Amino acid sequence: MEKMSISQIVDGIGLSKYTFKIYFLIGFALLFCGFDYMVVSYTMPQMTKEWSLSKVQTGSLASWSLIGLMIGGIIAGVISDRIGRKKTLAFFCLLFSLLTFPIYFVHSFEAFALLRILSGIGFGAVIPVAVTMLSESSPTKNRGYFTSSIMSFYVLGWVVAGIAAIYIVPAYGWRVCYLVGGMPIIYAFILLFVLPESSHWLLGKGREIDAIQEIIHMEITAKGQAGKYAPGSLVIPPPPSKVGVSAIFSVDYRKTTIALWIIYFMGSVVIYGINGWLPTLLVGKGYGLVKGYSFAVLQNVFGMIGGICTGYAADKIGRRINVIFGWVFTAAAILLLGIALNQWQVVICGMLVGLAMNWGLSGTQPLLAEGYPTEFRTTGVSWAQAFGRVGGFFGPIAAGYVQQLGVGFRGIFIFFAVPAVIAAFIALFFIAETRGKSIENIAGIKA
């Protein structure tokens, strides 16, 4: 009996309705996740005024959910690698929706912070599971595109949050934005009943019959018919000597883990810091609420474009060169925004910043998913992202502190350019190339 790996079967089918079914189901989960995360950036000025907050407290409004993101990332990997990708994604999608709408009723900084931490657990869990599922469901030659561009849905959620705030906040007040954020509760049940489970995960758990059934479903969805696969017909990769958290720090994966953690930390300082503060900075610079919010929304529209472009580039020029380019591009765009002198310069440079920083961070996603084998892939992805959230937490707060030192508009953007340069440096010297290698053969590649 000739045996085949799941990657060979997926590559033989190529791009299909099945690929895009998973892509869009996961994508909408990330869109809702992105809306609920970013809506705080568009309600910061109103909460600051209502609760008489300092600059540091204002910056922390965008940071509390990052604590939850860290917790969610830490636990999601272990849960997903144990009970499956689909169940984990659906549960945490339900969690962040349920914990967003009660913010409508809060009347204190402390209550807001608590709810944002708890809802952030859902954000932190959904993102790494989404990236992992796409990496395990995409053809090898297109894997970089799908694992990178899926984050464009997350950024689309930021765009929708900004557009919603422009219309909702002036007419109904900032609290109604959080009622809207709780509406996608029903989508968690759609995921549970419609989203397929990862056949790689099923096979890794010794459930070959279930994996074969999923492969048959995939072929029928893609081609209208399926081949015959008897038990024992799939290549089962040898189990790793370690799994879970201990595995990502084992001798074979330690260097990969540390490098990815640093890149994601620095990238999160940049992207969460700038996105958390930009609407408030622009309003403070005299552009007004609608205009300042519109500039920030436009930046995120170009962020979506950056997420799509980086996936295409990752498959063409390679993951490593793409990430280096992305973070160098980010540093340059940030510095240009800092020296912008008029409205049109702010608009153009803001678009470049959105394009560049999402190019860099989304381009890092394939490296996370391709650095570890199936048995602890989500653990590797989620822990790298969880550590990155530490940077995302301190970025907005540090930016608030830097502003209190009196560095001005230009100085704050110099501050944000530094971590982008560090991320590019780490990618240059410590990242291995994985383009064109199957999901079964990439883990543990040395730089």
Side-chain angles (χ1 to χ4, degrees), residues 175-346:
R175 296 175 184 275
V176 176
C177 292
Y178 294 92
L179 284 182
V180 175
M183 291 173 61
I185 292 172
I186 191 66
Y187 193 71
F189 296 97
I190 294 175
L191 289 175
L192 193 60
F193 290 105
V194 179
L195 183 67
E197 182 54 271
S198 165
S199 52
H200 282 278
W201 178 81
L202 291 168
L203 188 62
K205 286 296 181 180
R207 296 168 55 181
E208 186 183 15
I209 299 299
D210 292 330
I212 288 172
Q213 290 177 345
E214 189 52 58
I215 289 169
I216 291 172
H217 169 66
M218 174 177 58
E219 291 189 333
I220 291 174
T221 302
K223 303 184 298 185
Q225 59 183 2
K228 295 182 179 180
Y229 300 95
S233 61
L234 298 180
V235 175
I236 301 176
S241 58
K242 294 182 179 180
V243 295
V245 179
S246 62
I248 67 176
F249 287 105
S250 63
V251 174
D252 289 337
Y253 299 98
R254 190 178 302 147
K255 179 181 176 182
T256 296
T257 296
I258 293 172
L260 292 175
W261 281 32
I262 294 173
I263 293 173
Y264 218 86
F265 179 95
M266 296 300 170
S268 296
V269 169
V270 174
I271 201 163
Y272 286 100
I274 289 180
N275 278 294
W277 267 106
L278 189 63
T280 301
L281 287 170
L282 293 176
V283 170
K285 200 170 173 63
Y287 288 107
L289 185 146
V290 173
K291 188 175 290 186
Y293 282 14
S294 298
F295 288 172
V297 168
L298 187 61
Q299 180 204 53
N300 287 326
V301 169
F302 274 78
M304 292 169 51
I305 297 172
I308 294 171
C309 291
T310 192
Y312 179 79
D315 284 330
K316 292 297 181 182
I317 66 175
R319 291 24 167 171
R320 179 173 168 271
I321 296 299
N322 183 54
V323 168
I324 294 168
F325 167 78
W327 290 120
V328 171
F329 181 19
T330 299
I334 290 171
L335 292 174
L336 287 173
L337 179 58
I339 61 174
L341 299 176
N342 57 49
Q343 176 175 308
W344 286 110
Q345 289 179 4
V346 168

